[in-house]
């Protein structure tokens, strides 16, 4: 079972919205279908109602990432468990369409499509994938990008648990901003030192 791939469903959905920028790309049936990627069998049932339904799931998934990023592991787990109960997954063994070198089926687990609607299918895959990553890697591997105003969700799969940003672009932007802030502080301190003056206190003769 490609756990990393399935957990990406959760990340992709959360990142269709950038709250601090006021942008939202989850606005149409076509946008919902695009979220499914190569799993187009799940996108066949997409309708207008799935836009609203998936937005609601997105809000709840973002709350999971936010709780994890804030160090509230119990809340992150409780929120994800609630989603898992509402959107149960159905693991099944597959392999008829993929053969080994010896010509035998390459049996593997995958998450079967949900019978009710596109949102239920997508949410089941996203939540189960996220649950596997959370229990395998740790709750602290779920993060929210630290480069303001970006608040994209990410899963830290680095060996040293060092990821703080959703992308190299955001990491570079944050580093440049931090460098410029340090330079401004240094210049301000140098100016005060060279001037040697202290703020004057006004006095009046009495």
């Amino acid at each position: 079972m490609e756990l990393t791939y399935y957990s990406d469903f959760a990340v992709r959905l959360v990142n269709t919205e950038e709250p601090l920028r006021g942008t939202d790309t989850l606005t149409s049936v076509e946008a919902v279908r695009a979220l499914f990627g190569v799993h187009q069998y799940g996108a066949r049932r997409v309708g207008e109602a799935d836009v609203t339904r998936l937005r609601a799931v997105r809000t709840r998934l973002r709350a999971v990432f936010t709780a994890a990023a804030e160090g509230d592991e119990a809340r992150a787990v409780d929120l994800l468990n609630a989603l898992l109960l509402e959107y149960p997954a159905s693991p099944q063994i597959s392999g008829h369409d993929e053969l080994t070198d010896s010509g035998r089926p390459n049996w593997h687990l995958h998450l079967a499509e949900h019978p009710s609607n596109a949102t239920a299918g997508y949410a089941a895959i996203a939540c189960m994938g996220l649950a596997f990553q959370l229990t395998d890697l740790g709750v602290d591997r779920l993060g929210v990008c630290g480069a303001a105003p970006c608040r994209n969700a990410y899963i830290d799969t680095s060996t040293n648990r060092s990821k703080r940003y959703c992308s190299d672009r955001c990491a570079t932007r944050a580093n440049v901003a931090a460098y410029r802030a340090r330079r401004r502080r240094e210049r301000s301190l140098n100016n005060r030192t060279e001037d040697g003056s202290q703020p004057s206190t006004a006095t009046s003769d009495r």
Side-chain angles (χ1 to χ4, degrees):
M1 184 179 290
E2 300 178 6
L3 303 183
T4 300
Y5 177 77
Y6 285 133
S7 62
D8 282 345
F9 274 58
V11 174
R12 286 205 303 272
L13 176 57
V14 172
N15 292 346
T16 58
E17 180 185 30
E18 294 185 86
L20 297 184
R21 290 191 173 107
T23 62
D24 186 348
T25 61
L26 190 58
T27 58
S28 65
V29 169
E30 289 71 24
V32 173
R33 290 197 180 107
L35 282 173
F36 282 86
V38 298
H39 282 246
Q40 287 304 304
Y41 60 83
R44 289 176 302 180
R45 295 187 304 273
V46 173
E48 289 290 344
D50 289 300
V51 177
T52 302
R53 285 195 290 246
L54 269 178
R55 282 179 168 181
V57 174
R58 178 181 65 188
T59 298
R60 296 170 66 183
L61 280 174
R62 178 174 286 281
V64 175
F65 280 93
T66 300
E70 293 173 350
D72 194 343
E73 295 193 9
R75 177 167 172 74
V77 169
D78 287 345
L79 291 169
L80 185 52
N81 273 337
L83 281 163
L84 288 167
L85 284 173
E86 189 171 342
Y87 300 104
S90 302
Q92 290 191 341
I93 299 172
S94 179
H96 293 293
D97 56 346
E98 188 176 338
L99 302 179
T100 64
D101 293 338
S102 61
R104 302 184 63 182
N106 181 23
W107 300 115
H108 59 279
L109 281 174
H110 76 100
L111 298 181
E113 65 175 298
H114 201 282
S116 57
N117 59 67
T119 294
Y122 191 98
I125 290 173
C127 294
M128 181 58 74
L130 193 58
F132 274 117
Q133 289 284 43
L134 185 150
T135 53
D136 186 45
L137 299 176
V139 181
D140 60 328
R141 293 302 190 106
L142 277 58
V144 176
C145 187
C150 180
R151 298 297 290 166
N152 276 352
Y154 65 82
I155 298 174
D156 182 4
T157 57
S158 65
T159 56
N160 58 357
R161 298 174 180 264
S162 61
K163 189 168 183 177
R164 296 294 178 269
Y165 308 101
C166 68
S167 64
D168 290 340
R169 179 181 179 183
C170 278
T172 299
R173 191 172 73 247
N175 290 334
V176 169
Y179 171 77
R180 289 174 177 171
R182 286 196 303 272
R183 291 294 294 164
R184 286 194 296 270
R185 288 195 298 270
E186 290 170 0
R187 285 195 297 268
S188 178
L189 179 60
N190 290 337
N191 290 339
R192 288 199 300 270
T193 302
E194 291 171 1
D195 182 45
S197 61
Q198 297 295 325
S200 60
T201 302
T203 58
S204 59
D205 294 332
R206 293 184 178 178

